[in-house]
Amino acid sequence: MMEKLMATSIPVMNADEAALLIANGDTVGFSGFTPAGAAKVVPSAVARRAIHEHSAGKHFKIRVLTGASTGRSLDGALAKADAIAFRMPYQSDPDIRKSINAGKTEFMDIHLSLVPQNARYGFFGKVNVAVIEACDLTPDGQITLTSSVGASPTYARIADKIIVELNAFHPAGLAGFHDIYEPLDPPHRRAIPLYHPADRIGSTVLKVDPKKIVAVVRHNTADENGSFSEVADTTRRIGENVAEFFAEEMRSGRVPKEFLPLQSGVGDTANAVLAALGKHPDIPSFQMYTEVIQDSVVTLMREGKISFASGCSLTVAPNVLTGMYQDLEFFRSRMVLRPQEISNNPEVIRRLGVLSVNTALEVDLSGNVNSTHVLGRTMMNGIGGSGDFARNAYLSVFTCPSTAKDGKISTIVPMVTHLDNSEHSVQVIVTEFGVADLRGKSPKERAKLIIDRCAHPDYREQLHRYWNLSKESHTPHMLRASFGMHLQFADTGTMRNVDWSIY
């Protein structure tokens, strides 16, 4: 490939040389959806350049757009170098989170399905440079992406310049795993012709104008995904509760006997849910229409429990990805990677009847969900795609442990301190103690059900006292007391023993 590229006008250079093509104040669209497929060596080189410029007394920051979170070489390196002026749409790195919460980096949280189209609409301004990781590139501008798609097709198309990271860690045999499709923009948009998770509607490669490619940087660097924790007792019980809930929905006829496509968020709880679904004797082999394909999906696919997975990224532990790359032909007919505006598209999610399972930081007695902010102020990661799926799912389930911080915080509270997914989109709440099915329930019925089924026993009596004081209204809330548990934690370090009479 080096020889082919050198025979064209596409320059091959090292990362530090390519970083010089990115100017202070530029808006840069980076590949990546989680650390999977994220650009690595160029953002690290930009971080080194920023440190050099800052030491010389010069200002150097860029605006960073991605598909979702990324790895240490992108968000981490740039944040530590104080090189990010603006970040969108989702992050999970501790250094960028610290910069955001310290007010050094402006951050915009947004539903992930909206990212590519809003970029095309110009809502984020001009995209100056796209930095895209690839496992193959042809002289005529056909890019084979690596372990994710994310928003890469849109960033590559609308950016003035493209830098390609040609990463030999990912095999060229990934060709064929991707389905690249960009819808037309209004008023010319047509229905997305996707009727089954395994349908393919686009191209296996990302096609760009080769004249826009200003640099190719060759390297061999693994994705920076971490490993998931062993399933703990709490997450195991949450997973079992979700699996039994879905099994009962099948027995009742509310979910078809062949099941429905599943969407699952990412993380330890999501892995536990998938593992429990795989073990449940009444859950048949099923398909996934989701964002993130993670460890449990691969395991269940090898066991025959998952027959097909449509996603946006391969967010798996390093050893799992290595195993997949050694067995690509097994997965080729069982998996597809799509752009996030297709994997998270509301029209498609509703059409397919997706069963959606996502995680919450806290849930209130109305069923509102806070997915993003600790105590309403401190940003964790972002809303991600949970809203895309929750608002349009056949069934929308949110899970969380009943407590946090060794029991000092109840995740079930009178009112959430930040609202991400409202009661109108949330149908089912699950903790390790049980399931609150909120469908067809009034506000007062929902509140009592959430307390009885989901709250930790240490907090139930306290929450019942709040409910009893406020139950005369249509929606059981007391304005002065609704954040009483949060204020108690701020004052004493625990949410226990709130005296509601003081309100």
Side-chain angles (χ1 to χ4, degrees):
M1 182 56 65
M2 170 74 83
E3 292 74 18
K4 290 181 180 179
L5 293 176
M6 290 180 68
T8 71
S9 59
I10 300 175
V12 178
M13 58 182 70
N14 64 40
D16 291 306
E17 292 169 331
L20 296 174
L21 301 173
I22 296 173
N24 175 47
D26 274 356
T27 296
V28 184
F30 290 99
S31 67
F33 194 98
T34 72
K40 301 172 181 67
V41 296
V42 172
S44 291
V46 172
R48 291 192 295 272
R49 181 181 171 199
I51 293 170
H52 175 76
E53 296 286 354
H54 295 164
S55 66
K58 298 179 181 178
H59 185 77
F60 188 93
K61 286 191 175 186
I62 61 174
R63 294 167 55 85
V64 174
L65 315 181
T66 65
S69 59
T70 67
R72 296 292 291 160
S73 296
L74 202 163
D75 273 334
L78 289 170
K80 289 177 74 173
D82 193 22
I84 305 179
F86 173 86
R87 181 70 172 85
M88 189 279 304
Y90 183 91
Q91 47 70 43
S92 62
D93 181 87
D95 288 306
I96 187 62
R97 184 185 302 126
K98 181 178 178 181
S99 183
I100 290 166
N101 287 315
K104 297 170 67 176
T105 295
E106 299 299 331
F107 177 67
M108 178 182 176
D109 198 13
I110 180 175
H111 298 296
L112 295 185
S113 67
L114 296 175
V115 172
Q117 71 171 33
N118 285 1
R120 289 195 304 271
Y121 297 166
F123 292 176
F124 311 132
K126 175 185 279 294
V127 177
N128 305 100
V129 185
V131 183
I132 307 297
E133 182 180 84
C135 61
D136 200 9
L137 170 65
T138 63
D140 62 347
Q142 295 189 47
I143 298 172
T144 300
L145 298 172
T146 62
S147 49
S148 73
V149 180
S152 295
T154 295
Y155 293 151
R157 189 167 64 77
I158 67 176
D160 293 335
K161 299 181 291 188
I162 301 172
I163 298 172
V164 176
E165 289 195 8
L166 198 53
N167 187 354
F169 176 83
H170 301 283
L174 279 173
F177 275 78
H178 310 91
D179 187 47
I180 311 300
Y181 178 93
E182 268 194 290
L184 297 173
D185 292 331
H188 308 293
R189 181 165 293 179
R190 306 286 298 274
I192 296 170
L194 204 160
Y195 307 102
H196 185 279
D199 285 349
R200 288 176 173 272
I201 59 177
S203 170
T204 59
V205 295
L206 170 56
K207 300 175 182 178
V208 303
D209 181 354
K211 295 177 182 177
K212 288 175 50 172
I213 303 177
V214 296
V216 171
V217 180
R218 296 174 66 87
H219 64 100
N220 188 323
T221 310
D223 283 341
E224 297 168 323
N225 292 315
S227 298
F228 293 102
S229 303
E230 292 294 321
V231 175
D233 182 61
T234 296
T235 52
R236 176 187 58 78
R237 288 159 60 193
I238 291 171
E240 291 171 350
N241 287 340
V242 172
E244 178 56 28
F245 169 76
F246 282 144
E248 182 57 35
E249 288 297 290
M250 292 175 62
R251 297 181 197 114
S252 71
R254 288 186 291 268
V255 168
K257 66 180 186 306
E258 62 268 30
F259 211 54
L260 288 167
L262 183 79
Q263 176 264 336
S264 174
V266 66
D268 293 336
T269 301
N271 255 332
V273 168
L274 286 166
L277 288 168
K279 293 176 182 177
H280 199 289
D282 296 336
I283 303 291
S285 177
F286 60 92
Q287 298 181 333
M288 296 197 69
Y289 192 82
T290 190
E291 300 171 307
V292 173
I293 295 171
Q294 55 187 345
D295 290 14
S296 288
V297 178
V298 176
T299 300
L300 294 176
M301 194 169 282
R302 290 188 184 278
E303 295 173 352
K305 192 70 177 186
I306 292 178
S307 58
F308 194 87
S310 168
C312 192
S313 71
L314 294 174
T315 306
V316 296
N319 64 308
V320 177
L321 187 62
T322 299
M324 293 182 70
Y325 284 176
Q326 292 170 349
D327 201 9
L328 280 178
E329 293 313 308
F330 173 83
F331 294 100
R332 191 176 299 280
S333 62
R334 295 171 171 86
M335 188 176 294
V336 66
L337 298 177
R338 309 184 190 276
Q340 66 198 71
E341 69 178 321
I342 305 302
S343 68
N344 292 38
N345 186 273
E347 175 199 1
V348 175
I349 292 166
R350 186 166 293 191
R351 181 191 302 153
L352 296 179
V354 173
L355 303 175
S356 172
V357 184
N358 289 286
T359 55
L361 287 180
E362 63 178 1
V363 179
D364 71 22
L365 300 186
S366 293
N368 297 302
V369 166
N370 171 14
S371 303
T372 59
H373 287 72
V374 176
L375 298 177
R377 297 183 59 187
T378 303
M379 168 60 72
M380 283 296 290
N381 301 333
I383 192 171
S386 62
D388 295 323
F389 286 91
R391 291 174 298 165
N392 301 285
Y394 186 96
L395 267 173
S396 171
V397 178
F398 278 86
T399 66
C400 61
S402 63
T403 61
K405 296 290 185 183
D406 297 321
K408 296 174 183 176
I409 290 178
S410 171
T411 61
I412 307 300
V413 294
M415 182 175 287
V416 291
T417 52
H418 179 90
L419 176 63
D420 290 297
N421 292 287
S422 83
E423 60 184 281
H424 308 294
S425 302
V426 178
Q427 295 173 304
V428 182
I429 303 297
V430 181
T431 70
E432 73 271 30
F433 288 103
V435 176
D437 183 352
L438 309 182
R439 293 172 295 176
K441 302 293 192 298
S442 70
K444 284 185 285 190
E445 291 172 326
R446 287 199 301 267
K448 194 169 187 306
L449 196 62
I450 290 170
I451 296 170
D452 291 339
R453 300 285 179 84
C454 295
H456 192 283
D458 289 354
Y459 288 97
R460 284 181 193 163
E461 192 273 334
Q462 176 173 297
L463 288 164
H464 272 302
R465 280 189 283 116
Y466 177 92
W467 184 85
N468 283 323
L469 289 170
S470 58
K471 67 181 180 181
E472 299 306 318
S473 58
H474 169 66
T475 298
H477 275 307
M478 297 183 292
L479 291 181
R480 289 186 175 88
S482 57
F483 294 124
M485 291 174 66
H486 300 91
L487 293 171
Q488 175 84 345
F489 178 79
D491 291 340
T492 69
T494 178
M495 286 187 174
R496 294 188 177 94
N497 304 317
V498 175
D499 180 4
W500 299 115
S501 67
I502 66 175
Y503 298 104

